[in-house]
Amino acid sequence: MEKKEGLLSSAYNAAFRQVLGVVERDVVPDFMIRRGIRYLLSKRAATSSPKDGTEFYEKLQEFVEELKEMPVAVQTDAANEQHYEVPTEYFTDVLGKYRKYSCCLYTRKGMSLEDAEVEMLQVCCERAKLCDGQSILELGCGWGSLSLFMAEKYPKSTITAVSNSKTQKKYIDEMAEKKKLKNLTVITADVVHFSPPRGSNYDRVVSVEMFEHMKNYQELLRRISTWLKPGGFLFVHIFVHRLGLPYHYVVESEEDWMTKYFFAGGTMPSSDLLLHFQDDLSIEKQWYINGNHYSKTLEDWLVRHDTSKSKILPLFEKTYGKGQEVKWFVYWRLFYLACSELFAYDRGERWGVGHYLFKRRD
């Protein structure tokens, strides 16, 4: 029986490789690609959502205990190479004005990507209980959308932003100088080994879509608690699996090309996963943002990606090598398509974005 299953798996992987080889040539229409993605998502939804309650919570607890034994993060160099060391020019073409490389918020019909960026930035500031004069640490600042926004909005605050990417730091520093911002400092560091220069002296720690790259949340939250002042808060924005179990992004078959090329070492948390790690921080409030907002964000990025094809192909030739530019142009398209379909699945109620406000235990 095991031999038969192995042969079937090998045949399936071989067939998937052939299909992907055709897709790489940029000749397969989107409606066919989306249909295939939805089929794979239906498989993921079924395998990650046991109907039996006893089984569900046993698997959830196993996952929680597994994370406690893991490093704070794994494969951070791979994740950095996959996304954050891609040339800045690519992201300036694809992302919105604020370079927000995370979910935006579309609260009105016909909103532009830029307006949706601002909407989510405002909501994050409100939910993090930010106000002028605070000392704020941002973990995983991306291209600086929130850090630059906070530095402008709260001129009397001191902002320290941490990124694992030298190119991101360079971009943020240039933007801060252009905006004449003197209250923002950017540090290039791997969060696994990071120790803040100000010690236990922050009013707020904020993090937007960095926790998905983490594993040992118990240790991470313990460290963050030591960086907060008494009464300080941690705000987390993270994508979540609301109607199922958390899971690791691992390469188990040819289907897992996104993990292989875009999300090595990643985690898909369930909406309640962080609540199992409250030894040092206690939850104050939790929110859920429907996945359709992220799907719309990704569709807007996809449009900009396609519109900029003539500029992106030469850039990708320099980045990935001659003869690889079309393949990687398609891979980035597939990344946006797959993520958009993920967050739109089941009307945005299965996968979406979680917001969490934690308070330091004093």
Side-chain angles (χ1 to χ4, degrees):
M1 185 65 180
E2 289 183 4
K3 185 176 180 181
K4 182 179 180 181
E5 289 178 354
L7 289 171
L8 289 173
S9 177
S10 296
Y12 179 83
N13 285 333
F16 193 91
R17 279 196 299 272
Q18 288 187 327
V19 171
L20 188 59
V22 175
V23 173
E24 287 173 3
R25 298 202 295 270
D26 201 17
V27 295
V28 181
D30 281 359
F31 80 90
M32 292 183 66
I33 295 173
R34 289 181 188 271
R35 188 172 297 173
I37 292 168
R38 290 168 192 163
Y39 167 71
L40 296 176
L41 288 173
S42 68
K43 289 175 61 181
R44 170 66 80 175
T47 58
S48 61
S49 305
K51 293 182 179 180
D52 181 80
T54 300
E55 180 187 357
F56 183 96
Y57 284 102
E58 283 179 352
K59 288 187 174 181
L60 174 60
Q61 197 58 46
E62 286 174 6
F63 194 88
V64 168
E65 296 304 319
E66 179 188 3
L67 292 180
K68 291 178 181 179
E69 300 300 320
M70 296 185 73
V72 170
V74 298
Q75 296 182 266
T76 52
D77 289 341
N80 194 45
E81 291 172 5
Q82 288 171 338
H83 284 272
Y84 308 122
E85 294 300 343
V86 174
T88 304
E89 296 93 320
Y90 174 71
F91 291 100
T92 56
D93 285 338
V94 174
L95 303 181
K97 175 183 174 182
Y98 292 87
R99 307 295 179 254
K100 189 175 187 333
Y101 194 32
S102 55
C103 180
C104 301
L105 192 62
Y106 296 80
T107 56
R108 302 181 304 278
K109 189 174 181 179
M111 282 182 72
S112 67
L113 175 60
E114 285 74 18
D115 287 343
E117 284 181 315
V118 173
E119 195 78 12
M120 185 65 90
L121 291 168
Q122 292 277 22
V123 165
C124 287
C125 290
E126 292 168 8
R127 291 180 175 176
K129 297 187 175 182
L130 302 186
C131 61
D132 210 3
Q134 293 174 331
S135 56
I136 304 168
L137 172 66
E138 182 181 8
L139 298 175
C141 63
W143 298 98
S145 59
L146 182 57
S147 290
L148 291 165
F149 187 82
M150 291 188 298
E152 284 191 283
K153 185 177 178 66
Y154 308 109
K156 295 179 183 178
S157 292
T158 55
I159 318 294
T160 303
V162 181
S163 167
N164 197 26
S165 165
K166 294 178 181 178
T167 55
Q168 287 181 339
K169 171 178 167 53
K170 182 175 182 291
Y171 174 79
I172 299 167
D173 284 341
E174 289 173 353
M175 292 302 297
E177 184 176 356
K178 183 178 179 181
K179 295 172 179 287
K180 296 181 169 58
L181 299 173
K182 304 297 184 183
N183 59 339
L184 173 59
T185 302
V186 185
I187 299 172
T188 303
D190 185 335
V191 73
V192 175
H193 309 293
F194 173 70
S195 180
R198 294 174 62 92
S200 306
N201 200 29
Y202 293 100
D203 297 294
R204 299 288 183 273
V205 176
V206 296
S207 182
V208 176
E209 293 189 29
M210 183 205 75
F211 273 50
E212 297 90 337
H213 297 280
M214 302 294 105
K215 294 298 182 183
N216 192 331
Y217 295 118
Q218 184 179 49
E219 174 59 17
L220 177 62
L221 294 178
R222 184 200 66 77
R223 293 181 191 181
I224 292 172
S225 73
T226 68
W227 305 337
L228 285 166
K229 292 179 181 178
F233 287 93
L234 163 69
F235 173 77
V236 179
H237 165 128
I238 184 173
F239 56 68
V240 296
H241 188 197
R242 190 179 77 87
L243 297 180
L245 291 167
Y247 51 88
H248 299 293
Y249 280 89
V250 293
V251 178
E252 295 179 334
S253 70
E254 292 296 327
E255 287 181 7
D256 300 312
W257 66 271
M258 188 187 297
T259 302
K260 183 177 180 180
Y261 295 113
F262 288 95
F263 204 41
T267 304
M268 172 59 77
S270 56
S271 58
D272 63 344
L273 182 62
L274 294 182
L275 308 187
H276 291 267
F277 305 97
Q278 296 190 59
D279 292 353
D280 304 286
L281 299 168
S282 60
I283 191 71
E284 289 277 308
K285 197 165 184 180
Q286 177 182 358
W287 302 263
Y288 178 74
I289 296 172
N290 184 281
N292 281 318
H293 292 280
Y294 214 153
S295 177
K296 175 62 175 157
T297 304
L298 288 149
E299 294 292 340
D300 279 346
W301 292 345
L302 177 61
V303 169
R304 292 175 181 230
H305 176 83
D306 288 346
T307 302
S308 303
K309 184 176 183 179
S310 62
K311 295 170 62 178
I312 291 171
L313 286 177
L315 185 65
F316 278 6
E317 182 179 325
K318 293 179 183 177
T319 304
Y320 297 110
K322 190 171 179 61
Q324 298 295 306
E325 61 273 18
V326 173
K327 168 185 167 179
W328 278 98
F329 182 85
V330 172
Y331 274 13
W332 278 93
R333 292 195 84 254
L334 288 176
F335 173 68
Y336 298 136
L337 284 166
C339 291
S340 174
E341 291 295 334
L342 173 90
F343 289 111
Y345 191 87
D346 199 8
R347 304 178 307 281
E349 295 295 346
R350 177 169 287 276
W351 287 282
V353 172
H355 281 179
Y356 305 82
L357 184 68
F358 290 92
K359 186 176 182 179
R360 172 181 151 166
R361 291 187 185 273
D362 297 324

